[in-house]
């Protein structure tokens, strides 16, 4: 790992730093050479909406990658997330498999879910219930709820995963 000032200005450089302050929107760090840096909330983990205070501690040493060089009046921007292993590479599920998911966000069109951090899927509204009646997604599942779904579409190259709770429930009946 390189920690010289010249190397820390290059996008893609891997650096080490110590966390100096953590807020809900990100963490401030200081590289070994004294350069000030910042890690945005979405760049802390593969689960982009995690409060940094849940995973980082003041004084903790981190390894990160430079995503934006320092400019006058701006800190070096870093990412921990971009050094994490890509969960899509090790995803071995196939069409028809049932996988556990956690609800990330509820939309009128369906529900955004996470199988593992960095591997999201979508449950369309018509794949939520059995029968002819469509219910509003927000009446069925809420952010943080855990459920299971059958994989009905999978495109690993484009990172697209569609699931069905309805077909999973039909299997149980």
């Amino acid at each position: 790992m390189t920690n010289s000032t010249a190397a820390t200005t290059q996008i893609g450089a891997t650096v080490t730093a110590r966390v100096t302050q953590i807020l809900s929107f990100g963490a401030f760090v200081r590289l070994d050479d004294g350069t000030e840096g910042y890690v945005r909330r979405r760049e802390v983990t593969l689960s982009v909406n995690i409060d940094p205070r849940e995973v980082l501690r003041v004084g903790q040493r981190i390894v990160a990658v430079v995503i934006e060089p320092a400019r006058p009046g701006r800190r070096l921007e870093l990412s921990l997330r971009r050094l994490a292993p890509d969960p899509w590479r090790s995803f071995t599920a196939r069409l028809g498999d049932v996988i556990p998911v956690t609800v990330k966000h509820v939309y009128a069109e369906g529900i955004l879910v996470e199988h593992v951090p960095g591997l999201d899927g979508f449950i369309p509204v018509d794949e939520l219930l059995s029968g002819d009646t469509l219910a509003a997604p927000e009446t069925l599942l809420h952010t943080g709820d855990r459920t299971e779904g059958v994989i009905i579409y999978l495109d690993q190259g484009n990172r697209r995963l569609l699931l069905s709770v309805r077909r999973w429930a039909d299997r149980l009946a």
Side-chain angles (χ1 to χ4, degrees), residues 42-43 56 100 105:
R42 69 174 178 261
E43 295 294 336
L56 296 173
H105 193 79

Side-chain angles (χ1 to χ4, degrees), residues 22-25 41 44 47 49-56:
I22 308 167
L23 302 167
S24 63
F25 54 84
R41 175 186 188 119
V44 173
S47 291
N49 202 25
I50 295 290
D51 187 325
R53 297 172 292 195
E54 293 179 30
V55 294
L56 296 173

Side-chain angles (χ1 to χ4, degrees), residues 117-169:
L119 203 154
D120 295 340
F122 189 74
I123 304 170
V125 68
D126 60 338
E127 294 294 339
L128 288 170
L129 282 177
S130 295
D132 297 329
T133 307
L134 287 180
E138 64 273 8
T139 65
L140 302 172
L141 292 167
H142 305 282
T143 301
D145 285 352
R146 298 179 61 74
T147 189
E148 291 184 330
V150 175
I151 298 174
I152 58 173
Y153 178 81
L154 175 62
D155 180 351
Q156 285 184 280
N158 290 313
R159 297 170 185 249
R160 298 219 29 192
L161 175 66
L162 292 180
L163 301 158
S164 173
V165 172
R166 177 180 58 82
R167 295 180 204 190
W168 171 74

